[in-house]
């Protein structure tokens, strides 16, 4: 069917070489069903842009065709990838701070000030990572399964949101499967997420915002609880040491029976 449709479009292009509708329909057909011929689509776009007196509808469809053609050629706006990489780096930094936090608590002599400083670093890097994820989501021009997977890992490791992480992993897998099917079979199998990028972005931003405040409060509460617990232990050990010193002093200062 694709071969027959291509042959019909080619014949129409020969007969109506300067028709913007034929050029546009043929180009849209290529980007939607035969992305491997996207290089030929650039020639159609050049001819289409040379046409004069295009209606507003044709101009809008031409802009959309150019955008789809860029995606088919792999020419995309990669600015969101910079924020995605920054978020990934901050994610690793948070995990490193968390490891240091627990190792510091496990030391025989706990420095409360050092523990508090590490907790502040965790909170700061987590907030920065959330900000970078938000920018990456807002600036993506097409649904990026790699970004969505990274967001799921962040929700799972840092925000402790297993439900949100599972949703991200399923979303990324669905997008990959649909794109692989479209590439291999030449069919237009896209998910609803791909058709409505704004809805996807809003959902991902919602996952971040719903856990951000609760995670901050929980983190502060955990740190305060641990610091309180460490303080109690230190005071207890100090009291035991004081009692031992006091008992030793009484033992050596009390008069013996022989002296009496």
């Amino acid at each position: 069917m694709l071969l027959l449709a291509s042959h019909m479009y080619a014949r129409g292009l020969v007969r109506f070489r300067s028709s913007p509708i034929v050029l546009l329909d043929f180009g849209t057909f290529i980007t939607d069903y035969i992305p491997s011929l996207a290089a030929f689509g650039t020639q159609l776009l050049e001819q289409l842009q040379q046409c004069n007196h295009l209606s507003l509808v044709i101009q809008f469809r031409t802009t959309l065709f150019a955008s789809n053609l860029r995606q088919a050629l792999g020419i995309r706006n990669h600015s969101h990838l910079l924020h995605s990489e920054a978020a990934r780096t901050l994610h690793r930094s948070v995990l490193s701070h968390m490891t240091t936090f627990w190792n510091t608590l496990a030391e025989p002599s706990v420095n409360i000030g050092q523990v508090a400083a590490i907790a502040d670093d965790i909170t700061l890097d987590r907030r920065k990572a959330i900000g970078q994820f938000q920018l990456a989501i807002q600036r993506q021009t097409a649904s990026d399964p790699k970004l969505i997977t990274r967001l799921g890992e962040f929700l799972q490791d840092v925000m402790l949101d297993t439900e949100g992480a599972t949703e991200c992993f399923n979303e990324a897998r669905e997008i990959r499967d649909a794109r692989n099917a479209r590439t291999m079979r030449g069919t237009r199998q896209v998910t609803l997420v791909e058709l409505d990028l704004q809805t996807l972005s809003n959902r991902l931003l919602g996952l971040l915002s719903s856990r951000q405040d609760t995670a901050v409060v929980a983190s502060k509460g955990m740190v305060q609880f641990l610091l309180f617990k460490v303080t109690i232990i230190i005071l207890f050990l100090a009291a035991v040491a004081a009692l031992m010193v006091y008992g030793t002093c009484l033992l050596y200062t009390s008069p013996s029976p022989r002296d009496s």
Side-chain angles (χ1 to χ4, degrees), residues 19-91:
S19 172
I21 296 179
V22 175
L23 292 170
L24 184 57
D25 288 346
F26 193 10
T28 303
F29 171 78
I30 289 176
T31 57
D32 288 345
Y33 298 102
I34 317 178
S36 58
L37 297 180
F40 176 69
T42 58
Q43 301 178 20
L44 299 177
L45 180 61
E46 291 178 358
Q47 297 180 37
L48 185 60
Q49 291 173 341
Q50 295 175 0
C51 296
N52 298 323
H53 308 294
L54 297 178
S55 65
L56 293 178
V57 175
I58 297 298
Q59 292 180 23
F60 173 77
R61 291 186 58 194
T62 300
T63 303
L64 184 61
F65 165 53
S67 177
N68 294 335
L69 185 62
R70 288 174 60 86
Q71 294 186 22
L73 291 169
I75 306 174
R76 298 181 180 177
N77 181 5
H78 296 292
S79 62
H80 79 282
L81 295 180
L82 299 177
H83 298 290
S84 177
E85 291 294 335
R88 181 67 167 175
T89 301
L90 290 167
H91 177 187

Side-chain angles (χ1 to χ4, degrees), residues 141-242:
T141 56
S143 51
D144 185 354
K146 187 175 183 180
L147 169 61
I148 300 174
T149 301
R150 287 181 174 179
L151 176 59
E153 293 173 348
F154 178 78
L155 292 174
Q156 178 176 267
D157 298 340
V158 178
M159 311 300 284
L160 305 181
D161 183 4
T162 54
E163 293 183 0
T166 302
E167 183 177 349
C168 288
F169 296 149
N170 292 338
E171 203 73 64
R173 183 173 59 254
E174 181 183 359
I175 293 173
R176 288 194 182 97
D177 292 344
R179 289 181 177 173
N180 290 337
R182 181 173 56 180
T183 301
M184 295 176 62
R185 302 174 188 173
T187 58
R188 193 176 184 180
Q189 299 183 17
V190 295
T191 62
L192 294 176
V193 171
E194 288 185 289
L195 292 176
D196 191 354
L197 180 61
Q198 187 62 42
T199 300
L200 171 64
S201 299
N202 291 337
R203 287 171 56 194
L204 297 179
L205 292 174
L207 289 175
L208 279 174
S209 61
S210 63
R211 296 295 300 175
Q212 181 175 0
D213 296 334
T214 55
V216 171
V217 172
S219 176
K220 290 183 177 180
M222 179 190 69
V223 172
Q224 292 176 356
F225 172 76
L226 290 174
L227 292 179
F228 174 76
K229 189 174 181 180
V230 170
T231 303
I232 294 298
I233 293 174
I234 293 176
L235 292 176
F236 175 76
L237 293 176
V240 171

Side-chain angles (χ1 to χ4, degrees), residues 86-114:
R88 181 67 167 175
T89 301
L90 290 167
H91 177 187
R92 294 172 178 170
S93 178
V94 171
L95 295 180
S96 177
H97 289 319
M98 292 173 67
T99 302
T100 304
F101 179 86
W102 291 111
N103 290 338
T104 303
L105 282 180
E107 294 178 356
S109 57
V110 179
N111 188 329
I112 298 179
Q114 183 180 4

